[in-house]
Amino acid sequence: MARAVGAPFTHDGRRYVARLISGDIALQVQGQWLANATAFPLQQRADWSASDEAEEWHALGLWESTQDASAAPAALVGLRSYKSRAMPGFFVVRALKLGPGIPEALRLPVLRAIREAASVWPRLLRLHVELFEPDDARRTSAIATARQLGFRLETSPREYRHTLILPLDGGADAYRRNFHRMLFKNARKVERAGLCVRSFDDEALAPRLDALTDETMRRTGANAMRVNWIQRIRATAAHPNVYRLTGLFESTAPDARLLAFRWNGVAGNYADDLAAASTRAVDPTHGNIPMMPAILLDALEWARASGAQWFDFGGIVLPDSPSYEQQHSITEFKLLFGGTIAEVGADLTFEPRPWLSSLAHRVSRLSRGRK
């Protein structure tokens, strides 16, 4: 199904129409877009699962007014709608990691189309746009444009504001040149201990991925979000050139225990660090062996071989962050790979009915207070 969003408009001498589509047509349009896109965020793909919450995927595209919805659009954004827990019957919609793959000349009409898409959902509480743009001038311009359209810039971003960017386009020797020698030393420890680093896509390991994630979240003090690992594993199996699950196993045996993992992906010209977890409950005969260096060395080489020109380490916390004490060890580990710390993110919110959204916030706070 395709629905027009707002009225047709002219931008840079071309006339466009914005459409929100779902179902099989949306999958067809996304397939056409992915075939030619230089970058398309993994978080906006239809096969990417954010969590185990009930969610629906939609494609919002810009077409020249002479084209129908089955043609490839000039720009495309993947949106996810979620049922509100606080207000049954109402929805929250998110555009995750907006930026990569959208032509700079079309960012204004894309943001306007996202805002006008609010009219399609009469029971919409909030519309979130999680902006991702490493270029300071472009990010500042996008934020200013969004605020002119009625979006609010959140002071406490839901996603990361800073990340570590590692160039990969200089070849294996070049991108590893600035790695700390301890990374290679720890990777050799893994090898000498008889542990095994390999990729996997076995759905039977989904409960183990949940358990490792829960253990890691408790250790770092972060909030655990239940994710649909079955769906993520299926996406990895179906698209091995897009996603990769790399694990550290206790041995080379097929049924060996999984000790740690990392889930990565390639989105056109860049790679994304999507999820990672590990256990501290290890056979004492192995000693104290850091697990992640060997896994990340494998994942980075896969990303480079898959055509990624740079790697996004999935966020870091700076010393002035409230969560620095809990998560600084993760940041310190990532910094061993060199790269450049960059400000990349901003969270934008549009509330078409502020009074209703405010009521939902109060209901949510009361609900948490009763637990």
Side-chain angles (χ1 to χ4, degrees):
M1 179 174 63
R3 291 168 284 186
V5 174
F9 62 94
T10 300
H11 181 75
D12 286 347
R14 293 180 180 271
R15 193 159 179 80
Y16 293 98
V17 60
R19 296 188 182 101
L20 185 69
I21 57 178
S22 53
D24 292 341
I25 297 178
L27 296 176
Q28 176 186 339
V29 169
Q30 187 195 54
Q32 292 174 327
W33 177 257
L34 291 175
N36 299 299
T38 56
F40 190 78
L42 301 170
Q43 294 85 346
Q44 290 185 28
R45 289 175 59 110
D47 57 17
W48 189 85
S49 170
S51 70
D52 65 357
E53 298 178 78
E55 62 181 42
E56 186 177 353
W57 183 81
H58 314 267
L60 177 66
L62 289 183
W63 283 264
E64 292 198 34
S65 57
T66 56
Q67 296 176 308
D68 60 33
S70 63
L76 187 73
V77 177
L79 301 178
R80 297 180 183 276
S81 60
Y82 306 82
K83 293 180 180 179
S84 171
R85 295 177 180 177
M87 300 284 286
F90 289 84
F91 295 86
V92 174
V93 173
R94 294 191 178 103
L96 306 176
K97 209 161 189 176
L98 184 76
I102 297 177
E104 186 178 1
L106 293 178
R107 295 208 175 173
L108 169 60
V110 165
L111 282 167
R112 184 170 66 183
I114 293 174
R115 183 205 178 284
E116 291 183 352
S119 63
V120 174
W121 288 283
R123 291 179 174 268
L124 179 70
L125 285 176
R126 289 183 304 279
L127 181 59
H128 293 277
V129 171
E130 295 170 4
L131 189 67
F132 182 87
E133 176 52 77
D135 184 275
D136 289 340
R138 292 178 184 177
R139 187 179 62 259
T140 300
S141 176
I143 292 171
T145 298
R147 296 183 76 168
Q148 289 173 3
L149 292 169
F151 286 87
R152 181 181 69 247
L153 178 64
E154 299 293 343
T155 55
S156 300
R158 185 174 182 270
E159 292 297 321
Y160 54 89
R161 183 175 175 183
H162 297 86
T163 193
L164 184 70
I165 292 179
L166 175 68
L168 296 176
D169 56 355
D173 292 338
Y175 84 83
R176 291 179 177 225
R177 191 170 296 136
N178 294 322
F179 287 7
H180 196 286
R181 64 180 182 274
M182 187 176 292
L183 295 171
F184 301 105
K185 181 179 179 180
N186 289 333
R188 288 193 293 271
K189 286 182 181 179
V190 164
E191 194 175 324
R192 287 196 296 268
L195 305 179
C196 175
V197 176
R198 62 177 173 85
S199 63
F200 64 96
D201 55 20
D202 183 0
E203 292 181 26
L205 287 172
R208 180 61 175 163
L209 297 178
D210 271 329
L212 290 172
T213 302
D214 287 346
E215 180 181 338
T216 301
M217 293 298 103
R218 289 195 300 270
R219 198 163 63 233
T220 60
N223 294 322
M225 182 181 74
R226 306 301 299 181
V227 301
N228 189 332
W229 277 112
I230 291 290
Q231 185 170 331
R232 289 184 172 187
I233 293 171
R234 288 175 180 171
T236 301
H239 304 285
N241 60 324
V242 175
Y243 302 104
R244 182 177 176 89
L245 270 165
T246 306
L248 180 67
F249 294 83
E250 214 159 28
S251 72
T252 58
D255 58 348
R257 188 167 71 113
L258 179 64
L259 304 175
F261 75 91
R262 215 162 190 107
W263 189 44
N264 298 105
V266 170
N269 64 351
Y270 77 101
D272 219 335
D273 197 26
L274 300 171
S278 62
T279 183
R280 294 276 175 87
V282 182
D283 186 333
T285 60
H286 295 317
N288 183 22
I289 299 177
M291 301 180 191
M292 282 301 170
I295 295 176
L296 251 173
L297 289 174
D298 176 272
L300 286 170
E301 182 54 27
W302 167 78
R304 187 194 68 82
S306 299
Q309 298 173 13
W310 54 279
F311 187 86
D312 170 16
F313 267 89
I316 60 171
V317 292
L318 300 184
D320 60 353
S321 169
S323 59
Y324 184 76
E325 285 301 316
Q326 293 175 321
Q327 300 182 40
H328 69 91
S329 61
I330 299 173
T331 291
E332 289 169 359
F333 167 68
K334 293 178 179 180
L335 291 175
L336 295 176
F337 290 85
T340 302
I341 297 175
E343 183 174 351
V344 296
D347 275 17
L348 302 159
T349 303
F350 175 68
E351 296 176 338
R353 303 164 190 85
W355 65 271
L356 192 59
S357 183
S358 177
L359 176 61
H361 279 301
R362 290 197 294 271
V363 171
S364 181
R365 285 197 298 268
L366 288 172
S367 177
R368 288 196 299 269
R370 287 196 295 267
K371 293 181 181 179

